[in-house]
Amino acid sequence: MFDVTKDDVLLNLITTDDQNVTEELFAEARENRKEYYGTKVYFRGLIEFTNYCKNDCLYCGIRRSNKNAERYRLTKEQILNCCRKGNLLGYKTFVLQGGEDPYYDDDRLTEIIAAIHAEFPDSAITVSVGERSTESYEKILKAGAARYLLRHETANNEHYGKLHPSSMSLSNRKKCLFELKKIGFQVGAGFMVGSPYQTPQNLLEDLHFLRELNPQMIGIGPFIPQADTPLKDFAQGSLEQTLRMVALARLIVPQALIPATTALGTINPFGREKALNAGANVVMPNLSPVEYRKLYALYDNKICTGDEAAECFMCMQNRIKKAGWTPDLCRGDAA
Ligand code: 5AD
Ligand code: FES
């Protein structure tokens, strides 16, 4: 057993290239995950409903200043159609993700959430639309959403400042996460691994923050450069280090729902399977209409942009079974 209350133990695991230690770490992460979730892998249907964004995060392909991004918004009816498709396939969780798009003010956003909730009352609705006011979060909750994803991106102030414009702050991000949790959302935090200027110490701080927040969900993926961003010339995050961070997140928050992210699947053909092996227990296949997929280009070479919802669904089912896990289509609430 690794003593993850000790920073030197954590730092060693963050940076190790020892295969035996890594295998031991993954085995312990799998044990933890098994204790709460058995061999189940939960499915979330992802709907990327707008790529407009008022923010200008330096790593992100849908940042405001990217004039090459072709922008789109889905209508309520288009979004409902994605849910209907997902529902027929058996999904019981829908994730509405988008940039920070002012068009979706509280009225428009809650109308969409309420419509999904009315049509699919047994399904969990997850929202991921960035930083908003507490009142806005309360309205979203009241409209029928139960979960909110907001990656903190990095828990170090100075590092946060190198990845974001001065109009954004880590303190506000953290404040949002604590507020979301307080008002009753199941919350998801998370970060990129190998983002520009990141140090092992920064990753340690990410783990400390996870321990402090104790979120229900944790999203971790490698940084992948996007050609139309200021950080385009930086190297992508390492597969191995990302997997170790997934495992460490599992040890720090044993009951967390942790996705095997699309970004991991993008940097390695078996990245998502490897993440499951390192303690992840969720996948988020895409339900967005195929004609918009490519436009939601947060980073380069994103996978699954040409596949119909049903194809992604079948592909993930098969991959999960082949890797020895059990696809599970229930709502998959945190243990
Ligand atoms: N590489 C990897 N992940 C990225 N994200 C945004 N841009 C990139 C990138 N270039 C992630 C952020 C965000 C999530 C929706 O996508 O962590 O929270
Ligand atoms: Fe989309 Fe495999 S998950 S094609």
Side-chain angles (χ1 to χ4, degrees):
M1 287 260 291
F2 295 102
D3 184 356
V4 294
T5 63
K6 296 216 159 67
D7 285 353
D8 56 332
V9 172
L10 290 175
L11 268 175
N12 180 48
L13 292 169
I14 288 168
T15 53
T16 187
D17 54 11
D18 185 322
Q19 274 312 314
N20 295 327
V21 173
T22 304
E23 277 314 314
E24 213 181 309
L25 171 64
F26 291 176
E28 196 177 323
R30 284 195 301 274
E31 277 309 305
N32 267 336
R33 159 254 170 72
K34 270 213 172 114
E35 184 168 326
Y36 294 102
Y37 299 105
T39 59
K40 290 175 186 162
V41 176
Y42 297 129
F43 275 63
R44 320 293 194 205
L46 179 65
I47 303 164
E48 299 159 332
F49 72 100
T50 171
N51 72 350
Y52 281 84
C53 192
K54 68 173 160 65
N55 285 340
D56 221 12
C57 306
L58 275 75
Y59 46 84
C60 186
I62 65 169
R63 66 199 299 268
R64 176 184 73 215
S65 332
N66 182 7
K67 299 290 176 265
N68 291 333
E70 189 187 321
R71 307 285 171 171
Y72 74 91
R73 286 186 182 109
L74 301 188
T75 63
K76 182 173 93 178
E77 202 49 37
Q78 282 176 308
I79 296 171
L80 280 168
N81 279 333
C82 294
C83 296
R84 287 170 189 141
K85 254 189 205 170
N87 182 61
L88 288 175
L89 291 167
Y91 285 97
K92 285 277 170 283
T93 301
F94 302 115
V95 182
L96 288 182
Q97 184 169 94
E100 291 199 17
D101 180 355
Y103 173 84
Y104 297 96
D105 56 13
D106 292 346
D107 286 346
R108 288 198 176 104
L109 188 61
T110 53
E111 191 187 322
I112 292 166
I113 294 165
I116 299 172
H117 189 55
E119 195 166 329
F120 308 103
D122 306 333
S123 292
I125 302 171
T126 306
V127 177
S128 178
V129 292
E131 299 175 21
R132 296 170 84 103
S133 67
T134 305
E135 301 79 72
S136 175
Y137 287 149
E138 273 163 350
K139 287 181 190 164
I140 291 171
L141 184 72
K142 223 172 118 209
R147 306 176 183 158
Y148 203 101
L149 304 178
L150 182 69
R151 288 192 183 175
H152 62 279
E153 312 297 358
T154 172
N156 176 279
N157 240 324
E158 204 180 313
H159 186 219
Y160 193 93
K162 290 179 179 163
L163 300 179
H164 299 93
S166 55
S167 55
M168 295 176 73
S169 72
L170 178 60
S171 59
N172 195 55
R173 199 123 188 128
K174 286 186 174 175
K175 184 173 147 259
C176 288
L177 280 163
F178 284 109
E179 284 292 326
L180 284 160
K181 200 161 182 224
K182 194 172 102 195
I183 67 174
F185 274 107
Q186 299 174 39
V187 298
F191 52 91
M192 290 178 290
V193 178
S195 58
Y197 314 108
Q198 185 179 62
T199 64
Q201 183 67 30
N202 294 156
L203 287 169
L204 176 64
E205 291 168 78
D206 286 317
L207 296 176
H208 287 167
F209 179 64
L210 291 181
R211 185 180 284 139
E212 183 192 350
L213 177 68
N214 194 26
Q216 284 87 358
M217 301 165 283
I218 303 173
I220 298 173
F223 163 75
I224 304 174
Q226 208 279 359
D228 296 315
T229 63
L231 301 177
K232 64 177 168 24
D233 294 323
F234 284 82
Q236 68 181 28
S238 102
L239 170 71
E240 292 75 18
Q241 190 169 49
T242 308
L243 294 171
R244 291 197 302 276
M245 294 311 298
V246 166
L248 285 167
R250 172 62 67 203
L251 300 196
I252 301 276
V253 189
Q255 318 190 19
L257 295 155
I258 304 181
T261 53
T262 306
L264 260 171
T266 297
I267 64 163
N268 183 284
F270 292 100
R272 287 168 297 179
E273 284 87 340
K274 289 175 195 288
L276 296 176
N277 185 56
N281 64 334
V282 169
V283 291
M284 300 172 68
N286 209 314
L287 283 179
S288 314
V290 176
E291 53 283 25
Y292 300 104
R293 294 267 185 101
K294 276 207 162 54
L295 303 180
Y296 203 79
L298 307 180
Y299 47 80
D300 289 339
N301 307 315
K302 192 164 160 230
I303 53 168
C304 304
T305 55
D307 301 284
E308 275 294 345
E311 294 174 287
C312 264
F313 178 77
M314 288 311 295
C315 167
M316 271 326 298
Q317 291 261 344
N318 290 333
R319 281 169 171 262
I320 288 164
K321 285 185 207 152
K322 217 168 163 179
W325 304 100
T326 317
D328 191 310
L329 285 165
C330 75
R331 273 174 61 111
D333 287 292

